[in-house]
Amino acid sequence: MTVRRSAAALATTAVLLGAAAPVAVAAPSPSPSAELPAGLYGTTDPTYDGVWRQSLAFLAQKIEYVTPSTQAVEWLAGQQCDSGAFTSYRADPAKPCDASTVMDTNATAIAVQALVEINQRRDDANNGADWLKSVQNEDGGWGYNPGSPSDANSTSIVIGALARTGVPVNELTTADGSTPYTALQSLAIPCGDEDGGAFAYQPGKKGELTANLDATAASVLGLMGKGIASGTSNAVKDPACTKGDDLSPEQTAQNGSFFLADTLEKSPYLEQAPMPGAEDSEPQPDYGNTADAVVALAASGHTDKAEASVAWLQKNATGWAKQGGPSATAQLILAAHATGADARSFGGVDLVKQLNTMGPSPAATALPSPTPTGPQPSSGTDSDDSGLSLGWLIGIGLVAGAGIGFLLSMRRKKQQP
């Protein structure tokens, strides 16, 4: 979900603690004077989040009926290795990937989701899905990099990517019969225990499970087989925490929703612990995780439990989104869409226009904003690479017919205590 939001912070933490940066963030940074590649969204160093922010921008644009430019799509597709994998960022796409290339399941999974949703480069998306299947861990899950221990966030985003490409996720069994869903369920804190319903990012050294809000939001989507750009599910009864050792993935997802709803009932926003060495030692609002929790609650049929958080985001998060660039702006658009809020007037800000100005001018746009429960853009599950779905063409035709022209212009994941 928001794993890239913390990537730069992780690198900073490593320096502050005098420790070596982890392998997952060991890629060299471009020099400050290096010119950013054409087609890329955002203006900051893309070393840790280039593919992530590009893909997240596409997902947010798609649900708002915006067609990204060919240049932007070509940049993303050019980041893919021949194996089908993506890295966080390849400064020189002409250089073939080799044994020293740090493959990234999260970047691959979100790129796959983005290409499927915009209905372009489907062969590339399928190639990425095949690579993801090839690096599944024996416990059924995925780690950040191939071979690393499974974690909730990586497993969840890979599930979303495979599901969007039509892969029957529950049939991806390992030698002992484990599936991606059982890998996620193994990270769920049992109901009746402290923080029951929540998910851990990974088990502790002694196998203990510590509640992690971001992992919980990600796992709710993963266990429901949904991608990041999920809309609203039909309303269900208030979430409850169901006890038992033989729960279905859906039941375990609802337990996660129960924990999120209970947490947000106490405060409309989630908090993040201060970074080591930070001057302010008090927990700070976590805008990104709050937006992710909103999407998870809406996707699991509990939009009403997210209303106060959406109102809080409208009032407090628009400045963060602008400063945070494409990823942050996209996260708010996804939260707005999932709950029926207007992304083009979110806290007085046109988030769609703001996102569009952060990259190459879109190929096309259409108004008005779609509703989360109304007709949705094509999922792109066929092999058509035309780039524009029927819904988009109709919307664009209506706009053109009216004579109106429109120009609309997180992470490395850290485990939270």
Side-chain angles (χ1 to χ4, degrees), residues 378-397:
S378 168
S379 64
T381 53
D382 55 30
S383 59
D384 179 13
D385 290 332
S386 61
L388 286 175
S389 69
L390 178 60
W392 286 12
L393 290 171
I394 293 173
I396 294 168

Side-chain angles (χ1 to χ4, degrees), residues 32 88 222:
S88 300

Side-chain angles (χ1 to χ4, degrees), residues 350-377:
D350 187 337
L351 295 174
V352 180
K353 180 178 181 180
Q354 179 169 291
L355 179 60
N356 291 345
T357 61
M358 293 177 176
S361 296
T365 64
L367 293 176
S369 295
T371 62
T373 55
Q376 300 295 299

Side-chain angles (χ1 to χ4, degrees), residues 118-416:
I118 64 174
N119 200 20
Q120 297 189 51
R121 307 296 294 253
R122 184 54 192 266
D123 287 344
D124 295 333
N126 290 342
N127 194 21
D130 288 341
W131 179 81
L132 289 169
K133 289 188 291 183
S134 75
V135 296
Q136 183 182 17
N137 288 336
E138 284 304 311
D139 64 1
W142 286 266
Y144 206 102
N145 304 112
S148 62
S150 298
D151 66 76
N153 292 64
S154 298
T155 301
S156 297
I157 193 171
V158 171
I159 288 175
L162 295 178
R164 297 308 294 137
T165 55
V167 174
V169 177
N170 61 331
E171 296 179 9
L172 291 178
T173 56
T174 60
D176 65 355
S178 296
T179 71
Y181 295 133
T182 55
L184 275 186
Q185 288 180 294
S186 72
L187 297 172
I189 298 176
C191 296
D193 292 0
E194 183 179 1
D195 295 328
F199 288 76
Y201 176 66
Q202 287 176 326
K205 293 181 179 179
K206 298 181 179 180
E208 70 276 14
L209 299 178
T210 302
N212 182 297
L213 290 165
D214 196 22
T216 302
S219 297
V220 169
L221 289 182
L223 286 170
M224 296 184 70
K226 294 191 174 184
I228 288 178
S230 296
T232 299
S233 291
N234 293 331
V236 299
K237 62 183 180 180
D238 286 349
C241 209
T242 304
K243 297 181 180 180
D245 297 326
D246 191 27
L247 301 180
S248 68
E250 170 74 19
Q251 288 174 314
T252 312
Q254 290 297 333
N255 288 351
S257 295
F258 167 84
F259 180 78
L260 291 174
D262 184 64
T263 302
L264 290 175
E265 185 177 12
K266 299 168 185 174
S267 168
Y269 62 88
L270 304 180
E271 294 182 337
Q272 61 182 350
M275 293 299 297
E279 293 183 4
D280 191 344
S281 60
E282 295 298 319
Q284 299 297 313
D286 193 326
Y287 304 101
N289 274 358
T290 301
D292 289 345
V294 165
V295 172
L297 285 172
S300 56
H302 306 293
T303 304
D304 59 319
K305 303 300 181 184
E307 289 177 352
S309 297
V310 174
W312 182 87
L313 288 170
Q314 290 184 352
K315 184 177 180 181
N316 298 279
T318 53
W320 163 81
K322 184 174 183 179
Q323 183 178 14
S327 294
T329 301
Q331 281 181 271
L332 286 193
I333 292 174
L334 294 173
H337 172 79
T339 55
D342 187 355
R344 288 181 166 87
S345 182
F346 193 84
V349 176
D350 187 337
L351 295 174
V352 180
K353 180 178 181 180
Q354 179 169 291
L355 179 60
N356 291 345
T357 61
M358 293 177 176
S361 296
T365 64
L367 293 176
S369 295
T371 62
T373 55
Q376 300 295 299
S378 168
S379 64
T381 53
D382 55 30
S383 59
D384 179 13
D385 290 332
S386 61
L388 286 175
S389 69
L390 178 60
W392 286 12
L393 290 171
I394 293 173
I396 294 168
L398 290 173
V399 172
I404 304 173
F406 290 94
L407 180 62
L408 302 178
S409 318
M410 225 144 348
R411 71 165 95 118
R412 183 68 52 185
K413 174 71 184 75
K414 71 176 186 296
Q415 182 171 356
Q416 299 176 350

